[in-house]
Amino acid sequence: MKPEMIKRALLIALASLVTLAGCHSFKKENVQPPTPLAKDFKPTLQVTRLWRTSVGDGAGTSGARLRPTVVDGVLYAASTNGKLVAIDATSGKSLWSKSSRTHGWFGWGDKKRKDAQYAGGPAVNGDLLAVGTLDGHVYAVNAKDGSPRWDVEVSSEVLASPVIVGDMVVVRTGDGRVYALDAATGQRRWVYDQGTVPLLSLRGNGALLAANGVLFFGSDDGKLVALRQDNGAKLWEQKLASGEGRTEIDRLNDADGAILLDGSTLYGTAYHGNVAAVDGPSGRPLWTHPFSSFESLAVNDHAVFGVNDASVVWAFDKNGGADIWKNDALKYRWLSGPAVQGNYVVVGDLEGYVHWLQTGDGALAARERLSKKAIRAQPLVVGDIVYVEDVEGRIGAYRLSAH
């Protein structure tokens, strides 16, 4: 078996540990039951669901964190069974829908055509939509109607959303590479190769961040990496985790969340590592705070918000990293990464609930249920609306108003 296949099998096995939490089978050793939701909870915030729809099978059991994107009032979403859709972001009305077909993934079924295993996003800029797949392809289509433009094969699965910057589509693959592709033709411009990727790592990759001619991402070995956008040369790297521990599990230190940029400061975190603030131009660390997470962070004017590996929600001071508050009322509910919607932090959980917490003190303010399936993707806030997607492709749009 090829090393990449071994790694993928290990990743799926690790992901199943979290999946156990969603199966209500808690007799197994070291699997913690989710904290029950308070039955006497009284919301202090009114939530209105604007619409709900469904996109194919969503992420299914792939372990991908499929998340929609919204550009110019249109929501774009994809599923692992080949659905690619455009939806009016305000009304939920379908604008177009495509079902794509491709060869089987893992090299199986090459003589038969199967659904495209969309997993890496979509990303949209102008009339170009780019999306990656579990079988190592990148597809470009017309964002106005879904008509195909080009497709390119890369070296491994694409679990993170591509980024479209300038005249390039940039994607990262599960084997530690970053590809820059010509946005018009798909032709390869450059490739960055991380060299070695840990054999054992958590399933997932954080999305690339493009800013000021530089690409930033968190690596599977716990580093924040900066690349030149024009040629892929590495500018600097900064450790978010040490990778120390007695066992292979203890040494897991993936930085699987997206890197945030606020002003000139980058924020990132890693499993078995730290939440850190780093100066963007130089890579110089500004502060660190011990914090273990495999999710993305969120930020507002005063604080950085994160969900740790036990699903405790934290707020850290942006200036020095001191913890402001933490809320463990949702512990072991395997929360999504947080998003900031006005004066509230919003997260999804393993049973399809969406929770709003006050940014000032972390108090729970509202709760709604999208479905009965896990919400693994970080909610997406655009304007005054938050969009939430569960693992089976159900998407809900919510707006807030105070009581």
Side-chain angles (χ1 to χ4, degrees):
M1 184 178 290
K2 294 180 180 180
E4 185 180 336
M5 295 287 286
I6 296 173
K7 178 184 176 184
R8 183 176 285 138
L10 290 169
L11 294 173
I12 294 172
L14 279 172
S16 70
L17 294 178
V18 174
T19 303
L20 285 174
C23 298
H24 306 287
S25 177
F26 303 113
K27 296 181 180 180
K28 293 183 180 292
E29 187 178 1
N30 296 328
V31 178
Q32 298 287 349
T35 301
L37 298 179
K39 294 182 179 179
D40 59 350
F41 172 69
K42 295 181 179 180
T44 58
L45 175 72
Q46 182 178 340
V47 177
T48 301
R49 190 173 76 191
L50 303 179
W51 53 263
R52 190 179 81 161
T53 191
S54 185
V55 180
D57 292 340
T61 59
S62 69
R65 291 181 175 89
L66 276 176
R67 186 188 192 211
T69 190
V70 174
V71 177
D72 295 333
V74 179
L75 180 143
Y76 301 90
S79 74
T80 54
N81 69 323
K83 285 285 187 180
L84 192 60
V85 303
I87 298 166
D88 184 283
T90 302
S91 67
K93 179 182 177 181
S94 176
L95 301 177
W96 57 257
S97 176
K98 298 290 183 180
S99 295
S100 301
R101 311 288 284 182
T102 185
H103 290 294
W105 63 315
F106 284 143
W108 302 334
D110 283 344
K111 295 181 180 180
K112 297 181 180 179
R113 305 295 280 182
K114 295 188 176 182
D115 295 327
Q117 302 276 334
Y118 293 133
V124 176
N125 189 341
D127 64 354
L128 176 65
L129 181 154
V131 60
T133 72
L134 293 175
D135 68 347
H137 284 82
V138 182
Y139 290 89
V141 306
N142 189 317
K144 304 302 180 185
D145 58 14
S147 57
R149 289 190 173 179
W150 51 260
D151 69 271
V152 170
E153 185 174 4
V154 289
S155 57
S156 182
E157 61 185 355
V158 181
L159 289 172
S161 175
V163 61
I164 303 174
V165 55
D167 60 353
M168 294 191 303
V169 174
V170 188
V171 299
R172 59 180 303 193
T173 54
D175 59 359
R177 293 181 172 91
V178 177
Y179 289 82
L181 309 172
D182 186 279
T185 65
Q187 183 176 358
R188 186 181 303 178
R189 295 277 194 86
W190 54 257
V191 180
Y192 167 79
D193 189 349
Q194 184 176 324
T196 58
V197 176
L199 180 62
L200 185 63
S201 65
L202 299 176
R203 184 166 178 77
N205 293 129
L208 292 155
L209 168 67
N212 304 316
V214 182
L215 294 162
F216 303 96
F217 66 94
S219 70
D220 285 337
D221 56 355
K223 297 174 183 176
L224 195 168
V225 182
L227 306 179
R228 281 183 53 159
Q229 181 180 303
D230 58 351
N231 61 13
K234 184 164 67 176
L235 296 172
W236 53 260
E237 64 181 37
Q238 185 60 244
K239 283 187 177 181
L240 297 174
S242 65
E244 298 176 354
R246 297 180 59 187
T247 69
E248 291 291 334
I249 299 297
D250 292 335
R251 289 191 288 273
L252 286 171
N253 61 347
D254 302 58
D256 279 347
I259 303 300
L260 299 182
L261 178 65
D262 186 70
S264 62
T265 302
L266 299 163
Y267 298 94
T269 188
Y271 189 55
H272 292 155
N274 300 288
V275 57
V278 176
D279 179 67
S282 67
R284 176 176 57 89
L286 302 176
W287 57 259
T288 63
H289 191 294
F291 188 69
S292 177
S293 178
F294 37 79
E295 303 290 354
S296 296
L297 301 170
V299 65
N300 69 2
D301 291 340
H302 308 290
V304 178
F305 304 96
V307 171
N308 74 6
D309 54 9
S311 286
V312 177
V313 186
W314 286 73
F316 302 96
D317 179 73
K318 278 176 60 174
N319 293 323
D323 51 283
I324 301 172
W325 55 258
K326 68 175 181 178
N327 187 323
D328 62 2
L330 304 175
K331 193 173 185 180
Y332 302 127
R333 295 193 65 83
W334 307 118
L335 302 179
S336 70
V340 175
Q341 185 181 18
N343 294 321
Y344 300 90
V345 176
V346 56
V347 293
D349 75 11
L350 83 166
E351 294 177 332
Y353 286 98
V354 188
H355 307 270
W356 284 263
L357 298 80
Q358 295 180 17
T359 55
D361 59 8
L364 287 166
R367 180 171 74 211
E368 293 289 323
R369 197 169 198 179
L370 171 65
S371 68
K372 295 184 178 181
K373 298 298 181 179
I375 299 167
R376 300 191 66 238
Q378 183 182 29
L380 173 68
V381 175
V382 180
D384 62 349
I385 300 175
V386 63
Y387 303 91
V388 185
E389 180 172 358
D390 73 9
V391 295
E392 291 193 348
R394 298 178 190 88
I395 301 175
Y398 300 88
R399 181 176 282 146
L400 308 181
S401 59
H403 275 168

